Amino acid sequence: MKNYIKADEWNIIEEGFDPHLNKISESLFSIGNGRMGQRANFEESYSGETLQGNYVAGVYYPDKTRVGWWKNGYPEYFAKVLNATNWIGIDIRIGEEILDLNTCKVTEFKRVLNMKEGTLSRSFRAELKSGKIITVEAIRFCSIADDEVGALHYRLSAFNFDATVQLTSFLDGDVKNQDSNYDEKFWDQVSQQQDNDTDYLVLRTKKTAFEVCTVSRTSILHNGAVQELKQVSKDKYLGQTATINLTQGGHIDLYKIVANLSSENYDKEQLLSEAKLRIDMASAKGFSQLWKEQAEAWAKKWEEGDIIIEGDVAAQQAIRFNIFQLNQTYTGKDARLNIGPKGFTGEKYGGSTYWDTEAYCIPFYLSVAPEEVAKNLLVYRYKHLDKAIENAAKLGFKDGAALYPMVTMNGEECHNEWEITFEEIHRNGAIAFAIFNYIRYTGDESYLAQYGLEVLVGIARFWKQRVNWSADKNKFVMLGVTGPNEYENNINNNWYTNKLAAWCLKYTITAAAKVKEQAPEQYLKILQKTGLQEAQEFQDWTSVAEQMYYPFDEKTGVFLQQDGFLDKEQILVKDLPAAERPLNQKWSWDRILRSCFIKQADVLQGMYFFEEEYDLETLRKNFNFYESRTVHESSLSPCVHSILAAKLNDEEKAYEFYLRTARLDLDDYNNDTEDGLHITSMAGTWMSVVEGFAGMRVRNGQLVFQPFLPKNWNAFSFSIGFRGVQLKVSITADQISIRNNSDQELQVVVFNQAYPVPHGEKVISYKGALS
Ligand code: BGC
């Protein structure tokens, strides 16, 4: 665990330069706008440890799969969001020396991520080997107001010297992914063009043939006077150079405005002309205006979804960091895009889509963004339905059964470890649950007729075929699966998967009845399209759902994670020596698999989804049993524990788990922040506050709260949208107040009592409600 980020409510601040922390900071200070993003690499050359990263959403490369032992059904490739053209680069030569913080004496250094305005800035003072001292102030952003545009301003001043300074502002497309399976480069150059101060670089991905045009306009000023630029170029590289006689006290300003346009959004033939329009428009506004628009766009985002924590700066900073990074990753404007577990902050997980989106991110976007945003995430899977049916067919399923991939970019499976690819099938259930969750929150039942039901039918058919009848148990069983707890593979009757499967089957029948009643014409079309044999299939599904087998231990009253779980030696996490953790770095895989230690919420994940089915006593027994065996070596785990602990009134544990999820990256808990941030688990952090501490749920179309105030906080509040109404909910130790900003009256339930909330502020006291 590290502890070098300064506490601040709106900013992430690093002071002093420690090269060993650089890759961590590059992740933490990442910027993005949903369409593109980048790690916080330095503009100038840096020969120390770094992971260069610039990413353009939706542009990926199918990197040929590399496995030791090929299994039928494995995908041919792993799709990767590519490291794309580096547009921030500035080479700086001072006299004969290259500016490189790895070879300078850095006497002052500050890096700030301003979350209020969405900017990354850096200032430093460095002494070169020759004794020349410079100061630099740099600021840049990826515009969220115009998501194809980025801009930077870099000012360099001479503190104690006169010298010739040469600056080259460049675009460099000769980049590669560090995780390339065969050490290949993924880009070919299509064209390059230079037009005075403007560089156009068009690259095409190998195999997938996506084209991206990066255009950059540079201006360099010396003590305020515009300098002439000389153009330089080589393969996949274009630059603009100025050579300046800088004298002591003088300064140079470099402005760079950039646009990134991809063939995902324009005809390839139009890319250059569109890029020209875009760069003209952005540069006509200029750096200051673009910055102003950026700050305004972020102000709106914060208005829709800020969380304010009073009395605990570290917690405040952490929750804003999580919300900020989520908003930088996905804006919901484009239904083809999704949320990679690392967003635009690193290469791990390839920027591809996992079940994380449905299980963790949907609730966040439902509350803090317009309804279409969460809907787009669902439609993304709808568009992949045919591929999910193909995927299932490859594995031997038939008649329209759909198995969504574990990891995907375009609907095709990318994952290639059999115990996950073929067996971690619970992801199918999360996709169905997300449809239910969306409708529960928005009330938009028309989604079923429009898109949802077809997906549910495909998923239901899969579950029906995936179970088999056990004559021994006189029940349906599901063999050879991996649950969310990946520290157990190829097990039988994973309680969570069985539960989810049975629920999906029943929900699909209910959903079909709804569509039949509400949109009969559409229903007929769905029947035709899917070939659904209502009578027979519903009967089969009901029979599986009602006769599903669930492992249960009578003695402890605990649902067993899978058959035989109690055969394992039952040791508790508290008895594990600290030196042996994290287990995935200290133990052999074989030992992990045989142990009872759980990577992430599994049974508890199911109890979280279906909490209404369990009384508190059952929840408590299961929570105590599984919590004491869970090592949380997936970032997705602590939030579920935090929410359930809150429900059990275990305020201390709820807070402990919250801190663990909220500052996971800021404090580098798992020693892996340098690979990129845990973007999808950040949505879980948000859930810990809203569903955990505020106890917010939607029940019977109404918002329900069961709040408590963590001990270290004076108050907290959050903004959410619900069914067309914008609300601000504030919670203190004894009251909850809800500001309704619309004219529409809302009914809420606080500790089982209903209250009308008309326009304005409604204060409800809840003191004593718990006793
Ligand atoms: C977790 C998965 C998750 C993936 C991406 C893994 O470590 O076990 O549940 O989908 O990371 O976040």
Side-chain angles (χ1 to χ4, degrees):
M1 180 168 152
K2 321 270 180 323
N3 195 5
Y4 70 98
I5 297 298
K6 302 277 163 303
D8 184 279
E9 294 190 344
W10 276 109
N11 298 288
I12 305 301
I13 304 170
E14 175 188 17
E15 276 172 353
F17 182 54
D18 179 348
H20 301 299
L21 300 175
N22 189 45
K23 286 215 284 192
I24 301 173
S25 293
E26 285 179 342
S27 300
L28 289 176
F29 291 78
S30 292
I31 52 173
N33 60 15
R35 180 81 57 197
M36 61 174 167
Q38 56 179 217
R39 288 169 60 80
N41 305 128
F42 295 160
E43 285 87 355
E44 72 281 351
S45 311
Y46 185 63
S47 58
E49 272 187 54
T50 174
L51 172 63
Q52 280 282 326
N54 284 278
Y55 310 97
V56 181
V59 175
Y60 64 90
Y61 178 79
D63 200 12
K64 194 167 165 333
T65 299
R66 206 180 175 120
V67 285
W69 181 13
W70 189 265
K71 315 260 184 323
N72 276 347
Y74 270 174
E76 302 285 319
Y77 69 88
F78 192 99
K80 288 176 178 161
V81 164
L82 303 184
N83 189 15
T85 296
N86 168 14
W87 58 260
I88 61 164
I90 309 172
D91 274 336
I92 301 173
R93 183 179 282 274
I94 301 170
E96 290 309 308
E97 292 165 286
I98 305 261
L99 175 58
D100 172 356
L101 289 196
N102 196 37
T103 59
C104 297
K105 191 162 134 204
V106 184
T107 48
E108 283 167 30
F109 181 93
K110 189 170 183 181
R111 186 157 24 188
V112 178
L113 186 64
N114 178 329
M115 300 183 285
K116 198 173 200 167
E117 300 194 345
T119 58
L120 163 64
S121 61
R122 189 166 57 107
S123 56
F124 61 86
R125 186 183 165 105
E127 185 177 333
L128 306 180
K129 288 220 171 83
S130 59
K132 294 187 186 73
I133 297 177
I134 56 148
T135 57
V136 165
E137 281 173 61
I139 180 161
R140 67 180 197 246
F141 54 89
C142 292
S143 170
I144 202 140
D146 179 345
D147 61 12
E148 287 171 329
V149 169
L152 73 81
H153 174 204
Y154 192 96
R155 170 176 282 200
L156 179 146
S157 311
F159 183 73
N160 64 347
F161 65 89
D162 299 343
T164 306
V165 176
Q166 190 186 67
L167 296 97
T168 304
S169 155
F170 63 85
L171 296 179
D172 183 8
D174 193 21
V175 291
K176 60 191 253 191
N177 273 47
Q178 210 178 52
D179 68 352
S180 161
N181 280 345
Y182 295 89
D183 206 29
E184 281 171 283
K185 289 189 175 169
F186 301 145
W187 294 99
D188 287 326
Q189 180 174 296
V190 178
S191 68
Q192 51 172 236
Q193 193 176 311
Q194 292 185 292
D195 178 7
N196 299 318
D197 53 3
T198 310
D199 298 328
Y200 299 84
L201 188 60
V202 184
L203 301 181
R204 181 189 299 131
T205 55
K206 293 181 179 159
K207 293 189 191 165
T208 34
F210 291 109
E211 289 187 13
V212 175
C213 174
T214 307
V215 49
S216 136
R217 185 162 292 170
T218 301
S219 56
I220 300 181
L221 293 85
H222 174 207
N223 294 337
V226 177
Q227 302 296 293
E228 207 158 297
L229 302 174
K230 207 174 123 236
Q231 299 164 352
V232 289
S233 66
K234 56 186 176 186
D235 187 43
K236 297 187 201 151
Y237 175 103
L238 296 169
Q240 303 277 345
T241 299
T243 307
I244 294 163
N245 292 321
L246 190 64
T247 51
Q248 184 171 347
H251 65 269
I252 300 170
D253 289 298
L254 187 151
Y255 291 93
K256 196 167 181 180
I257 293 176
V258 173
N260 252 327
L261 276 70
S262 100
S263 58
E264 280 289 85
N265 305 311
Y266 302 93
D267 282 348
K268 288 181 181 163
E269 298 69 40
Q270 306 295 320
L271 264 184
L272 264 174
S273 55
E274 291 287 347
K276 183 164 181 352
L277 286 177
R278 187 48 58 98
I279 199 73
D280 285 348
M281 223 163 74
S283 4
K285 286 181 183 167
F287 184 83
S288 307
Q289 177 61 21
L290 290 173
W291 184 357
K292 187 165 166 271
E293 289 175 9
Q294 169 80 340
E296 284 165 2
W298 271 104
K300 178 143 190 303
K301 290 249 176 241
W302 287 115
E303 205 180 293
E304 286 170 349
D306 192 14
I307 293 186
I308 298 168
I309 296 171
E310 290 171 36
D312 186 341
V313 180
Q316 174 68 80
Q317 178 183 46
I319 191 67
R320 286 217 170 103
F321 180 65
N322 287 262
I323 296 170
F324 180 71
Q325 291 296 353
L326 282 161
N327 281 323
Q328 291 206 112
T329 306
Y330 184 75
T331 58
K333 284 188 196 159
D334 187 339
R336 294 166 302 175
L337 302 179
N338 210 284
I339 306 155
K342 299 268 170 215
F344 299 119
T345 69
E347 295 177 3
K348 201 168 171 201
Y349 298 119
S352 303
T353 308
Y354 286 66
W355 72 299
D356 305 26
T357 296
E358 284 78 17
Y360 299 88
C361 300
I362 290 277
F364 170 79
Y365 289 103
L366 274 173
S367 289
V368 308
E371 213 165 281
E372 311 80 74
V373 173
K375 185 171 175 179
N376 273 348
L377 287 169
L378 301 188
V379 171
Y380 173 93
R381 295 291 195 175
Y382 172 78
K383 292 199 167 142
H384 290 176
L385 178 59
D386 288 346
K387 288 260 173 23
I389 292 173
E390 265 173 44
N391 185 40
K394 269 190 215 157
L395 305 187
F397 296 89
K398 49 189 195 251
D399 303 330
L403 174 60
Y404 278 90
M406 184 66 192
V407 177
T408 193
M409 198 62 86
N410 63 358
E412 287 166 14
E413 178 63 271
C414 291
H415 201 280
N416 51 40
E417 285 165 283
W418 64 270
E419 64 277 22
I420 292 179
T421 313
F422 307 141
E423 298 203 332
E424 207 173 327
I425 49 179
H426 65 80
R427 68 224 186 208
N428 242 18
I431 289 165
F433 187 79
I435 295 173
F436 162 78
N437 211 3
Y438 166 81
I439 295 171
R440 177 169 64 176
Y441 196 90
T442 61
D444 174 17
E445 288 189 338
S446 69
Y447 184 79
L448 286 176
Q450 231 185 331
Y451 303 108
L453 183 57
E454 283 178 53
V455 170
L456 292 172
V457 166
I459 289 175
R461 285 172 165 169
F462 171 80
W463 291 126
K464 154 74 183 66
Q465 293 172 38
R466 187 60 171 74
V467 296
N468 65 274
W469 179 253
S470 157
D472 180 44
K473 290 194 164 64
N474 214 22
K475 291 273 178 195
F476 283 102
V477 292
M478 199 164 349
L479 309 180
V481 303
T482 297
N485 169 27
E486 292 170 345
Y487 286 180
E488 274 282 5
N489 303 148
N490 200 31
I491 52 168
N492 295 337
N493 294 313
N494 172 250
W495 182 86
Y496 171 76
T497 310
N498 286 16
K499 174 80 205 158
L500 206 52
W503 174 85
C504 284
L505 292 165
K506 283 193 262 173
Y507 180 57
T508 307
I509 297 172
T510 315
K514 277 225 161 90
V515 176
K516 190 171 188 173
E517 185 197 320
Q518 294 170 359
E521 276 178 32
Q522 189 61 23
Y523 187 67
L524 280 180
K525 281 193 198 144
I526 295 171
L527 286 189
Q528 272 162 12
K529 191 167 169 194
T530 57
L532 183 68
Q533 305 294 314
E534 279 176 290
Q536 184 60 52
E537 294 198 68
F538 289 0
Q539 191 189 334
D540 291 348
W541 298 350
T542 307
S543 152
V544 173
E546 284 178 356
Q547 300 179 80
M548 185 71 93
Y549 172 72
Y550 301 106
F552 178 73
D553 179 53
E554 297 285 349
K555 249 192 282 158
T556 53
V558 160
F559 303 120
L560 290 182
Q561 191 181 265
Q562 74 256 358
D563 285 353
F565 187 79
L566 290 178
D567 290 340
K568 295 179 163 228
E569 192 183 0
Q570 299 294 321
I571 315 168
L572 303 186
V573 174
K574 72 174 174 46
D575 299 323
L576 266 175
E580 296 192 17
R581 297 180 62 188
L583 298 184
N584 62 19
Q585 287 170 24
K586 304 288 166 67
W587 280 15
S588 71
W589 189 240
D590 159 67
R591 191 171 172 199
I592 290 178
L593 291 177
R594 282 185 286 109
S595 82
C596 72
F597 295 117
I598 298 168
K599 181 184 180 190
Q600 67 198 89
D602 193 305
V603 168
L604 295 184
Q605 182 78 38
M607 297 194 81
Y608 161 68
F609 276 171
F610 304 113
E611 63 170 7
E612 284 165 287
E613 294 180 28
Y614 307 105
D615 59 32
L616 282 182
E617 201 33 47
T618 308
L619 178 61
R620 182 167 291 111
K621 278 186 200 153
N622 281 275
F623 182 86
N624 291 343
F625 183 83
Y626 287 108
E627 193 270 315
S628 54
R629 289 161 175 79
T630 304
V631 287
H632 303 287
E633 289 177 14
S634 160
S635 64
L636 300 172
S637 187
C639 62
V640 173
H641 285 244
S642 177
I643 296 167
L644 294 181
K647 189 170 166 143
L648 291 168
N649 296 329
D650 189 341
E651 300 184 4
E652 241 161 71
K653 273 233 152 67
Y655 189 70
E656 180 193 316
F657 283 120
Y658 163 76
L659 272 192
R660 192 157 170 171
T661 149
R663 293 196 66 89
L664 180 83
D665 286 316
L666 286 176
D667 295 338
D668 196 11
Y669 262 88
N670 287 352
N671 219 5
D672 60 359
T673 302
E674 64 177 42
D675 297 337
L677 304 175
H678 298 84
I679 298 291
T680 46
S681 89
M682 291 180 171
T685 308
W686 178 91
M687 294 191 321
S688 306
V689 176
V690 175
E691 297 184 10
F693 304 153
M696 187 179 99
R697 304 284 190 276
V698 178
R699 295 290 177 258
N700 305 319
Q702 292 181 341
L703 285 177
V704 171
F705 297 92
Q706 205 130 321
F708 79 90
L709 182 71
K711 253 202 326 260
N712 330 21
W713 299 1
N714 300 331
F716 71 100
S717 60
F718 53 92
S719 300
I720 51 162
F722 179 69
R723 304 196 176 188
V725 179
Q726 193 62 35
L727 298 171
K728 182 165 178 192
V729 181
S730 308
I731 290 159
T732 64
D734 48 19
Q735 67 183 37
I736 171 168
S737 71
I738 303 177
R739 173 180 293 283
N740 179 350
N741 293 330
S742 79
D743 292 330
Q744 194 184 318
E745 182 173 298
L746 203 75
Q747 179 105 344
V748 302
V749 177
V750 178
F751 284 109
N752 299 322
Q753 198 168 326
Y755 300 87
V757 182
H759 176 82
E761 181 121 11
K762 173 91 181 180
V763 179
I764 302 160
S765 166
Y766 69 83
K767 206 170 186 178
L770 285 174
S771 52

